Amino acid sequence: MKQVKPIVSTMPARHLLALAAAVLLAGCAVSPAYETPTAAAPQTFKEAAGWQPAAPADTLERGPWWTLFGDAQLNQLAASIDISNQNVAAAVAAYEQARALVREQRASLFPTVNLTGSGARSGGGEQQTNNNFKAAIGASWEPDVWGKLRAGVTGADASASASAADLAAARLSAQGELATNYFSLRQSDAQIALLNATIDGYKRVLEITGNRFNAGIAAKSDLLQAQTQLANAQIDRSSQIRARAQLEHAIAILLGRAPSDFSLAVAPWTLTVPEVPLGVPSTLLQRRPDIAATERRVAVANEQIGIARSAYYPSLNLTGSYGSGASRVGDLFNASSSLWSLGVSAAQTLFNAGATTASVDAAKAGHEAAVARYRQTVLSAFGAVEDQLSATRALAEQLALRQQASAAADQVEQQMLNRYNAGQVGYTDVVTAQVTALSARRSLVQAQADRQTTAVALIQALGGGWHTPPTQ
């Protein structure tokens, strides 16, 4: 690459200023005009048939969605996510870094001004000792003729917007994980309470069976089966206690606290499952932060094409300085010792074996990859909503059936116990009824928890929660 030497002092200042103005007026943009990528968006959600939204989705806003579940403890925990969660803190720092890069890129649009000064003393032998002092203020500026610098600023700003969306996604992910773990913990509390009641019942049955065995009415196998039933229930309770402890530890980590310094007391389980407002699929493109982030990265890739194209054109640089030189410091400020210079330099690559074209092609391919990632993110988002809508409807139907099954199993268990005490059935029938009843009760508790965690997943899939606006 051959550089043209700066022109210093030989061209009148007015000519240089005219040249600079012409350069600016000739400026053009090398980046392609940006268009938001198209993505296949259905008119309606397939699994939304019969869905009853709580309010029109296009009149709702994001908000503290966890309050929809009506659990005061959850509200308190979720409110501290922004303050304590370390993943959110990292996303905040990444966003601040991106904003700083925007400011750095914008600074490149303006001249750089510097102040220099030097002093030297020379002499020796028969030569007279000389002093030489210099002071100058200088400036340099690269006019953004081809739009390369503006493309850098636009790309940095789009990258910052992507970081902001990443921050929103990190918040939503942490909030959703917290809510899911919290409801799972309350489910463990309910399972433990259920098993405690079951164990108490099994102990009473074991006592009755022991009395019948001692009286010679029941076989020893009956006594052994009763003991086995009791031991299995106690094992299940121990497993639930372990699962609860693990969930408690996970919640502590989400809140940025050491598990040893955090605990959640057993509390009543609020079984509220909110009706989640549902909009048309196209609103998903504006609501989900991960979609927003990938779209902004398409914009970044678009600007990279312009930056790569700018290498086809010459780079220009304007310089100027004003200062003075003298043998004494006091003479530096005399008008007779002042010096000034104005200059223009240009550089153009004549041959690089196709490196610039390869760079442009790579930028275009990067843009195509970003578009593909955007479309894949959109498709995944639609799929996630459809999955959760289907699960929500199925779980609502299953809950009613689980309630019926549990009530029926409880009656069968009691009838079998009564018939066993009357000597009408063997103890094996009692054991079968007890196993069925316990399984039905636990499945009912699981179904209640699944409805809540699915509601959380649906809210996340839709991009966050909502507040109903005040009536006008």
Side-chain angles (χ1 to χ4, degrees):
M1 182 172 65
K2 185 177 180 181
Q3 292 189 348
V4 178
K5 294 182 179 179
I7 305 171
V8 182
S9 299
T10 59
M11 180 181 290
R14 65 179 181 274
H15 291 171
L16 286 173
L17 294 176
L19 175 62
V23 163
L24 292 177
L25 291 174
C28 62
V30 290
S31 296
Y34 178 70
E35 295 182 1
T36 302
T38 58
Q43 295 297 316
T44 59
F45 289 109
K46 174 184 176 182
E47 301 294 340
W51 186 262
Q52 298 295 326
D58 57 355
T59 62
L60 297 173
E61 302 174 352
R62 290 188 181 92
W65 54 266
W66 52 87
T67 61
L68 300 175
F69 291 89
D71 192 302
Q73 181 72 70
L74 176 61
N75 295 345
Q76 181 182 354
L77 296 173
S80 64
I81 280 287
D82 280 358
I83 301 172
S84 305
N85 184 269
Q86 296 307 302
N87 289 331
V88 173
V92 170
Y95 175 65
E96 293 299 329
Q97 183 181 34
R99 295 306 303 168
L101 289 176
V102 173
R103 297 195 300 271
E104 181 181 353
Q105 287 290 335
R106 284 178 179 164
S108 65
L109 297 172
F110 299 91
T112 300
V113 180
N114 55 74
L115 177 66
T116 61
S118 64
R121 183 178 178 85
S122 62
E126 297 180 355
Q127 295 182 355
Q128 185 178 359
T129 301
N130 295 316
N131 297 323
N132 187 14
F133 299 98
K134 294 180 180 179
I137 184 170
S140 62
W141 181 37
E142 180 183 356
D144 192 22
V145 181
W146 317 116
K148 174 184 177 181
L149 300 180
R150 291 195 297 275
V153 172
T154 303
D157 194 56
S159 181
S161 297
S163 292
D166 287 339
L167 172 58
R171 284 195 178 109
L172 181 58
S173 176
Q175 292 161 355
E177 188 175 356
L178 172 67
T180 299
N181 288 343
Y182 178 80
F183 290 134
S184 296
L185 182 140
R186 290 304 175 214
Q187 177 201 347
S188 291
D189 286 342
Q191 294 278 14
I192 291 170
L194 175 61
L195 287 167
N196 284 336
T198 300
I199 288 170
D200 290 340
Y202 285 179
K203 286 180 178 179
R204 289 193 294 271
V205 172
L206 177 60
E207 183 179 358
I208 294 171
T209 305
N211 293 336
R212 289 171 60 85
F213 171 71
N214 294 331
I217 302 174
K220 187 173 183 179
S221 59
D222 292 355
L223 179 63
L224 294 175
Q225 284 183 310
Q227 292 172 341
T228 301
Q229 282 288 93
L230 176 60
N232 285 337
Q234 291 170 330
I235 291 171
D236 288 344
R237 180 177 61 181
S238 178
S239 297
Q240 283 297 322
I241 291 173
R242 182 186 66 179
R244 187 193 193 280
Q246 292 174 339
L247 290 166
E248 193 176 64
H249 301 161
I251 292 173
I253 293 170
L254 283 170
L255 298 176
R257 299 177 61 178
S260 58
D261 298 331
F262 177 82
S263 63
L264 278 176
V266 176
W269 184 9
T270 303
L271 294 174
T272 302
V273 179
E275 291 289 342
V276 179
L278 186 65
V280 296
S282 60
T283 62
L284 202 65
L285 305 185
Q286 289 80 41
R287 290 192 58 84
R288 280 186 59 132
D290 57 338
I291 293 179
T294 53
E295 184 276 326
R296 288 288 78 202
R297 290 191 171 94
V298 174
V300 173
N302 187 76
E303 297 304 323
Q304 289 300 317
I305 297 175
I307 293 172
R309 282 178 177 175
S310 67
Y312 284 125
Y313 306 99
S315 60
L316 303 176
N317 192 52
L318 304 180
T319 60
S321 67
Y322 179 83
S324 62
S327 59
R328 294 186 305 171
V329 175
D331 294 337
L332 284 174
F333 305 100
N334 294 333
S336 59
S337 62
S338 64
L339 300 171
W340 62 270
S341 70
L342 292 174
V344 178
S345 64
Q348 172 65 60
T349 300
L350 299 180
F351 177 75
N352 61 8
T356 300
T357 300
S359 179
V360 173
D361 290 343
K364 289 180 178 178
H367 177 265
E368 292 175 0
V371 170
R373 285 191 290 270
Y374 169 78
R375 289 171 176 162
Q376 183 60 41
T377 301
V378 171
L379 289 174
S380 298
F382 289 147
V385 174
E386 297 283 12
D387 288 346
Q388 300 310 322
L389 287 174
S390 176
T392 299
R393 183 174 60 251
L395 287 170
E397 295 173 355
Q398 290 175 14
L399 180 63
L401 297 174
R402 294 288 185 192
Q403 290 171 335
Q404 294 176 18
S406 180
D410 288 344
Q411 293 181 25
V412 171
E413 179 187 25
Q414 188 59 52
Q415 289 175 4
M416 286 299 173
L417 283 171
N418 293 338
R419 293 180 67 184
Y420 174 71
N421 292 333
Q424 297 175 353
V425 296
Y427 193 74
T428 300
D429 295 327
V430 175
V431 171
T432 301
Q434 288 177 328
V435 170
T436 302
L438 178 59
S439 177
R441 294 185 201 113
R442 298 191 67 180
S443 295
L444 176 58
V445 172
Q446 181 68 56
Q448 292 168 332
D450 286 346
R451 290 196 70 208
Q452 287 188 314
T453 56
T454 300
V456 172
L458 177 57
I459 289 172
Q460 287 183 282
L462 291 171
W466 305 269
H467 278 319
T468 303
T471 303
Q472 300 296 328

